[in-house]
Amino acid sequence: MAEYEILGTVVERGTRKGVPNLHVEAWDRDTRFHDMLGCATTDGAGQFRIRFTDEYFGDYGGDLTPDIFYRVYRDDTLVLSTQEKPAENQQPGRIRVTLEVEPLVEPEARPDRVDAETAIKALRFFRESDFRGIQRDAAGRARMAGGALGKILGAAFREWDWKPVRPDPVSHSDVAGQDVERARTRLAEEDIVVDRVEPFQPGLDRRSGRMLSSVPPRLDKGERVVLYEEDGQVRYYATVRDEPAATIDQAEVRRLSQEMATVRTEVSHVANLREEVVQLKSAAEEERASATGGLSEVREQVSEIAELRAALAQLRTDLNQRDQTIATLHSELKTVKESQERIEGSDLPQRLGRLETDVRRFRPG
């Protein structure tokens, strides 16, 4: 099993300063499905380490060495990809790599960011709107309206039609910034009824537009108001306006219905895409498992072939030893035959016969 170790550093282009807290992924680029080799997070010096073996990669043609490319993310944003220029045919062992990313600018701390198109619409909105009445408000009332407007613009809903808001000049009756119960008490002292308390949820929509335009110039006795609370404090308040059902914008209802149908279609499309991704992942896992099983069979066959080769070598050794033994026996047999022939060709048999006769003659009794 071949082992690999990637020792890498992510640096800023130009300054060469290590970038911490980036998510780095190493991939093997294949003909059809790319294999993830591993991932890591850069440390304070921008360094990371990824280890893997040859079991992590492979395609249909038998990929012996990986073609490695990298993907670098900051949070969920891709800041670098080397997929088009992979490091081809990397050999086992230690691999050192330096990845350069563009200098990363920290975003401003704000609830939301808006795109250029929304910013242009907002600029037109401000130019066509009359905020002099709000500017003439007392300090507390101005802070209330300004804070609400800032959160509304930060919500970044693209669907608002940006119709200019033209509030009337108003006076201040400060209940904003107080807790809900204290605001109720102060309003009750002036015979002003709190119709309801709603959560303060600003957004670029008609509801927020009506909320801004419903700021009362003054609070008279018998009026009804809505308190908008956040974390138990009143962030905004507005008078209650009773609108008959006939004022409902049917065109707006149709537009919203069409948009809802479009959203549902897109959600269905996304669901289909997710199902396709799941199927592709399942197919990839099956192919990986099949390739791993085939690799195991090949390894077993290689091991069996090695054992057969060792047995064949031992058999050849035994055969050579047998041939040597047979040759030695042939040589010894030949020597015995030659000795026997020499004995038979001499008078040794007669001499042995006479010796045997003499022995018998001298034997007692």
Side-chain angles (χ1 to χ4, degrees), residues 151-191:
K151 289 196 174 183
I152 290 172
L153 297 179
F157 287 178
R158 306 304 198 272
E159 300 300 332
W160 193 30
D161 55 7
W162 292 94
K163 292 182 178 179
V165 178
R166 301 182 181 277
D168 295 329
V170 295
S171 61
H172 175 60
S173 179
D174 189 14
V175 294
Q178 307 293 334
D179 61 78
V180 174
E181 293 305 320
R182 184 172 181 179
R184 283 179 181 272
T185 301
R186 293 182 61 186
L187 292 171
E189 291 174 353
E190 301 178 13
D191 294 330

Side-chain angles (χ1 to χ4, degrees), residues 294-310:
L295 181 60
S296 300
E297 293 179 1
V298 170
R299 288 176 176 172
E300 292 176 357
Q301 294 176 0
V302 170
S303 177
E304 185 178 355
I305 291 173
E307 293 176 358
L308 291 175
R309 286 180 176 175

Side-chain angles (χ1 to χ4, degrees), residues 215-280:
V215 178
R218 59 183 177 274
L219 291 175
D220 298 327
K221 293 183 178 182
E223 279 195 291
R224 292 183 297 143
V225 297
V226 179
L227 302 182
Y228 298 93
E229 66 87 19
E230 183 180 47
D231 297 330
Q233 291 186 338
V234 178
R235 297 301 181 188
Y236 207 81
Y237 63 91
T239 54
V240 176
R241 293 182 178 181
D242 296 326
E243 296 182 1
T247 61
I248 297 177
D249 190 345
Q250 297 298 328
E252 181 69 12
V253 173
R254 288 194 297 271
R255 184 182 68 82
L256 293 176
S257 299
Q258 293 174 355
E259 291 179 356
M260 182 62 70
T262 302
V263 170
R264 289 176 179 172
T265 302
E266 292 178 352
V267 169
S268 176
H269 181 62
V270 170
N272 294 334
L273 290 178
R274 287 179 177 174
E275 184 177 355
E276 292 180 6
V277 170
V278 171
Q279 293 177 355
L280 289 174

Side-chain angles (χ1 to χ4, degrees), residues 131-138 142:
F131 293 104
R132 292 182 179 179
I134 296 177
Q135 293 174 355
R136 286 194 297 268
D137 191 7

